[in-house]
């Protein structure tokens, strides 16, 4: 016969060491709260309906002879691309939607870099890769002429004609070599020669590979001289002037352009690669700890990019550069050191922001239409603030009713439920606050509704567990075994219920856009936190309190009074009796 199992109590699916779970969740709360203060972010980021923001209206502009291009399909495509552009900047809760047949409204919440987002959303022309025929620094104060800004170090790298480090394009894994050389002004025949050397046709020539006629025997010299005159007169000092540079130029013609900062101006050859040939672009950190931009091309784009970089790599600076233009403004002009094909990387003195901006432009640069900015207005949060105030009052009333019900029905057990709600609230608040700077999560009105709905989901989990414990007590068991026996069944029910809620939130998040996603995200987050709180706080606290006399003895105010619950008498094992004498006591 087996020896009795002395000094051991079966856990029945429960936790043998509840202190560990409580220590874990306490550490998590301290870490999250400490992270809030260390990041100097103590309040959640608010959406445009609560905090206000910027609203941009863009109007589709019909190109000559292409008036039919303004249609629903192209407008929907433009909305999709703009939405990805804004999200590529890390802006969450932004809204991009059509208005009428030819307008697009972009709403950007306060607290983000709205000016940066405005510039990228407003860049609606197509993206092109053009060879650089010549480049020249614009008139700008030199370091010796003006004091340098305090606290700013001179960037390292090879300076271009403008004094800025020149980005370098190379195949992935190929070391980049900086190029430093002053640019020159080609005059007349020199500009024509530069066009020929780059493999590009001169103005008026065919791009099919037909050699350009001699300038002395045709009008090419006059066209080159006209282009040179435009280059000499080009003003890059203001944003308006930069946007008008090369206005009206066709992709198949050379043109003049400014860089986006107005520090350098260019004569560019015809477009060799279209922005639609870029399949993917991303900002990453290389092995040297420097930010670079990686590009992948489509099969057709790979062939075209290999052809142009093969020609440029044989040229001298600055004719070994290609310019990435958007709205005919140069967003980057890296040098080329070798023939590139399916994938390439652009390196230079990038920081995280500039690398992500360039990658964003490369990824989402091509739009099927051109747009003109109609208006930029500031949105106030007065209406949203009133709605938030009303929503918070409704939430507070609902929470108060839940607490009153818990106290009236569960009495002492209500303290455990209230403490669990407090823990859940702390975790939810801290995570939402930290998600603001981390993934640009913004709390809008639907998200607040999701948090309020979560109160009922969390309270439901406590009720399931408490009722299982009370059922065990009704069966005649004492509290400590009842707590452990009730847990496996309650745990199963809680997990199934929370899984259904989380699945609904996930589906809603995937199939919707805009503010409804905020509701789905908050609902899904609080559902996950409900599981964490019930497993790591509610159950361990219940295990510890079951050892206290107030609950273990079934005090009337504990909520676990056997008499009040109508418990059955304790089950006792009947002793086996016999009238015959027993020779061996061990057999009894």
């Amino acid at each position: 016969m087996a020896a009795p199992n002395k000094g051991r109590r079966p856990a029945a699916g429960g936790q043998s060491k509840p202190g560990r779970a409580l220590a874990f969740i306490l550490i998590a709360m301290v870490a999250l709260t400490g992270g809030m203060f260390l990041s100097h972010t103590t309040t959640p980021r608010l959406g445009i309906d609560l905090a206000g923001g910027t609203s941009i209206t863009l109007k589709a502009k019909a190109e000559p002879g292409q008036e039919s291009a303004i249609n629903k399909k192209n407008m929907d495509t433009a909305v999709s691309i703009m939405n990805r552009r804004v999200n590529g900047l890390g802006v969450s809760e932004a809204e991009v939607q059509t208005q009428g047949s030819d307008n697009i409204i972009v709403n950007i919440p306060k607290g983000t870099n709205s000016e940066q987002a405005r510039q990228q959303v407003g860049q609606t022309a197509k993206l092109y890769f053009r060879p650089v025929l010549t480049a020249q620094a614009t008139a700008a104060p030199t370091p010796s002429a003006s004091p340098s800004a305090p606290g700013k170090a001179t960037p390292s790298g090879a300076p271009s004609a403008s004094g800025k480090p020149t980005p370098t394009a190379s195949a992935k894994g190929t070391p980049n070599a900086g190029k430093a050389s002053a640019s020159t002004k080609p005059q007349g025949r020199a500009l024509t020669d530069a066009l020929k050397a780059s493999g590009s046709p001169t103005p008026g020539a065919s791009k099919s590979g037909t050699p350009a006629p001699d300038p002395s025997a045709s009008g090419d010299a006059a066209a080159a001289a006209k282009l040179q005159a435009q280059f000499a007169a080009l003003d890059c000092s203001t944003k308006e002037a930069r946007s008008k540079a090369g206005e009206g130029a066709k992709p198949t013609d050379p043109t003049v352009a400014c860089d986006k900062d107005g520090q350098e101006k260019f004569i560019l050859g015809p477009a060799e690669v279209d922005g639609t040939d870029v399949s993917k672009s991303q900002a990453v950190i290389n092995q040297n700890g420097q930010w670079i931009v990686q590009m992948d091309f489509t099969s057709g784009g790979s062939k075209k990019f290999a052809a142009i970089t093969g020609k440029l790599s044989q040229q001298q600076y600055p004719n070994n550069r290609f310019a990435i233009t958007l709205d005919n403004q140069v967003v980057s002009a890296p040098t080329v050191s070798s023939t590139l094909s399916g994938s390439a990387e652009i390196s230079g003195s990038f920081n995280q922001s500039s690398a992500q901006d360039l990658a964003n432009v490369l990824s989402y640069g091509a739009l099927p239409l051109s747009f003109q900015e109609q208006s930029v207005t500031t949105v106030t949060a007065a209406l949203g603030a009133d709605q938030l105030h009303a929503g918070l009052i409704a939430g507070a009333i609902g929470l108060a009713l839940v607490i009153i019900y818990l106290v009236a029905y569960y009495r002492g057990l209500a303290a455990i439920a209230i403490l669990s709600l407090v823990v859940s609230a702390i975790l939810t608040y801290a995570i939402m606050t930290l998600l603001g700077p981390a993934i640009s999560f913004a709390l809008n009105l639907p998200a607040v509704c999701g948090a309020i709905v979560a109160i009922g989901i969390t309270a439901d989990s406590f009720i399931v567990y408490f009722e299982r414990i009370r059922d065990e007590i009704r069966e005649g068991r004492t509290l400590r075994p009842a707590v452990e026996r009730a847990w496996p069944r309650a745990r199963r029910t809680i997990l199934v219920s929370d899984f259904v809620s989380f699945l609904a939130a996930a589906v809603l998040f995937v199939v919707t856009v805009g503010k409804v996603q905020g509701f789905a995200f908050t609902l899904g987050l609080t559902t996950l936190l409900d599981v964490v709180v019930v497993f790591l706080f509610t159950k361990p606290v219940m295990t510890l309190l079951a050892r206290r006399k107030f609950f273990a003895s079934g005090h009337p105010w504990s909520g676990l009074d056997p008499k009040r619950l109508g418990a059955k008498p304790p089950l006792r094992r009947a002793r086996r009796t016999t009238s015959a004498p027993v020779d061996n006591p061990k057999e009894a």
Side-chain angles (χ1 to χ4, degrees):
M1 188 172 180
N5 197 4
K6 295 182 179 180
R8 297 184 183 178
R9 182 182 299 273
Q15 296 164 269
S16 59
K17 296 182 179 180
R20 289 185 179 181
L22 291 174
F24 181 83
I25 198 168
L26 179 62
I27 291 172
M29 291 170 60
V30 172
L32 291 172
T33 306
M36 287 171 47
F37 289 99
L38 288 176
S39 63
H40 304 289
T41 306
T42 56
T43 57
R45 198 164 150 267
L46 301 179
I48 191 171
D49 53 355
L50 299 180
T54 303
S55 180
I56 305 169
T57 302
L58 300 172
K59 184 178 180 64
K61 184 172 60 176
E63 299 295 334
Q66 298 182 356
E67 287 77 8
S68 61
I70 303 180
N71 53 51
K72 186 178 186 303
K73 180 180 179 181
N74 284 343
M75 290 291 288
D76 290 342
T77 302
V79 167
S80 177
I81 293 174
M82 287 184 186
N83 209 353
R84 293 199 303 269
R85 271 193 201 171
V86 178
N87 291 331
L89 293 171
V91 179
S92 181
E93 298 298 328
E95 295 179 353
V96 183
Q97 56 190 3
T98 58
Q99 185 181 69
S101 60
D102 57 356
N103 288 327
I104 290 180
I105 308 296
V106 182
N107 293 324
I108 303 170
K110 186 178 179 181
T112 62
N113 192 336
S114 58
E115 183 61 28
Q116 181 189 27
R118 175 186 171 187
Q119 290 175 359
Q120 293 236 339
V121 170
Q123 292 176 335
T124 54
K126 290 187 176 181
L127 183 74
Y128 295 111
F129 293 75
R130 293 175 176 265
V132 175
L133 304 184
T134 189
Q136 178 184 338
T138 57
T142 60
S144 59
S146 61
S148 59
K152 291 186 178 180
T154 302
S156 60
S160 68
S162 64
K164 297 186 298 182
T166 303
T168 304
S170 65
K172 291 182 180 178
T174 303
N176 300 323
K179 302 290 191 293
S181 173
S183 63
T184 58
K185 285 186 179 182
Q187 301 286 341
R189 182 183 293 272
L191 177 57
T192 306
D193 292 341
L195 286 163
K196 291 179 179 180
S198 68
S200 303
T202 53
S206 170
K207 197 180 177 183
S208 62
T210 305
D214 188 276
S216 60
S218 68
D220 289 338
K226 181 180 178 181
L227 192 62
Q228 178 61 46
Q230 292 177 354
F231 178 71
L234 182 60
D235 177 20
C236 299
S237 59
T238 64
K239 181 179 179 181
E240 183 179 1
R242 293 193 293 271
S243 64
K244 292 182 178 180
E247 191 174 26
K250 297 180 180 179
T252 55
D253 291 339
T255 185
V256 296
C258 302
D259 73 348
K260 60 180 181 179
D261 299 320
Q263 298 183 13
E264 196 173 8
K265 59 183 182 179
F266 302 86
I267 296 180
L268 305 177
E272 300 287 348
V273 182
D274 194 283
T276 55
D277 294 320
V278 178
S279 62
K280 181 182 178 182
S281 178
Q282 59 182 344
V284 298
I285 299 178
N286 63 9
Q287 296 177 348
N288 299 324
Q290 299 174 336
W291 281 96
I292 62 173
V293 178
Q294 291 181 343
M295 296 183 296
D296 293 330
F297 291 90
T298 62
S299 58
S302 177
K303 295 177 182 178
K304 291 189 284 186
F305 196 63
I308 182 60
T309 54
K311 297 175 184 178
L312 296 181
S313 62
Q314 301 173 11
Q315 306 298 319
Q316 298 296 319
Y317 187 90
N319 299 120
N320 63 344
R321 300 168 68 186
F322 68 84
I324 303 170
T325 65
L326 189 65
D327 274 342
N328 210 45
Q329 290 189 32
V330 177
V331 296
S332 183
T335 60
V336 179
S337 57
S338 61
T339 301
L340 311 176
S341 55
S343 60
E345 63 183 31
I346 302 174
S347 62
S349 292
F350 289 116
N351 54 29
Q352 181 178 1
S353 177
S354 60
Q356 289 177 342
D357 281 352
L358 178 56
N360 191 34
V361 167
L362 292 172
S363 296
Y364 314 122
L367 286 175
L369 299 169
S370 295
F371 288 85
Q372 183 176 5
E373 191 176 271
Q374 292 289 100
S375 64
V376 179
T377 58
T378 300
V379 179
T380 63
L383 178 60
D386 292 340
Q387 293 176 336
L388 176 63
H389 182 68
L392 292 178
I393 292 177
I397 293 174
L399 179 61
L401 292 175
V402 169
I403 292 175
I404 291 173
Y405 170 79
L406 290 173
V407 172
Y409 191 72
Y410 290 106
R411 302 194 177 186
L413 290 177
I416 303 174
I418 293 171
L419 286 175
S420 300
L421 287 172
V422 171
V423 171
S424 180
I426 293 173
L427 291 175
T428 303
Y429 184 87
I431 292 175
M432 285 184 176
T433 301
L434 292 175
L435 287 179
I439 63 171
S440 297
F441 170 75
L443 190 65
N444 56 21
L445 278 174
V448 173
C449 293
I452 294 174
V453 170
I455 296 174
I457 295 175
T458 305
D460 182 62
S461 298
F462 307 151
I463 291 173
V464 168
Y465 186 33
F466 295 161
E467 286 300 323
R468 290 293 187 187
I469 294 174
R470 288 154 71 104
D471 286 343
E472 294 293 332
I473 293 176
R474 290 188 183 98
E475 293 295 326
R477 295 182 178 88
T478 57
L479 181 59
R480 294 182 67 176
V483 167
E484 302 304 334
R485 291 179 63 89
W487 174 241
R489 291 191 296 170
R491 176 181 59 197
R492 191 181 309 114
T493 304
I494 291 169
L495 288 176
V496 171
S497 175
D498 283 345
F499 174 77
V500 172
S501 296
F502 182 80
L503 184 63
V507 171
L508 193 63
F509 183 84
V510 171
V511 301
T512 58
V513 295
K515 295 181 179 180
V516 181
Q517 281 189 328
F519 172 83
F521 182 86
T522 307
L523 183 61
L525 174 64
T526 50
T527 301
L528 291 177
L529 289 178
D530 174 48
V531 175
V532 172
V533 171
V534 171
F535 274 68
L536 299 182
F537 185 80
T538 307
K539 169 57 174 62
V541 168
M542 193 68 227
T543 300
L544 292 176
L545 292 182
R547 304 170 186 175
R548 298 293 181 265
K549 184 178 179 181
F550 178 79
F551 288 95
S553 64
H555 191 281
W557 280 98
S558 67
L560 298 169
D561 183 6
K563 293 182 179 180
R564 190 166 180 266
L565 295 176
K568 298 178 181 178
L571 299 175
R572 298 183 181 275
R573 183 179 299 173
R575 291 180 60 85
R576 186 174 57 185
T577 59
T578 178
S579 57
V582 179
D583 296 331
N584 188 354
K586 292 184 179 181
E587 295 179 358

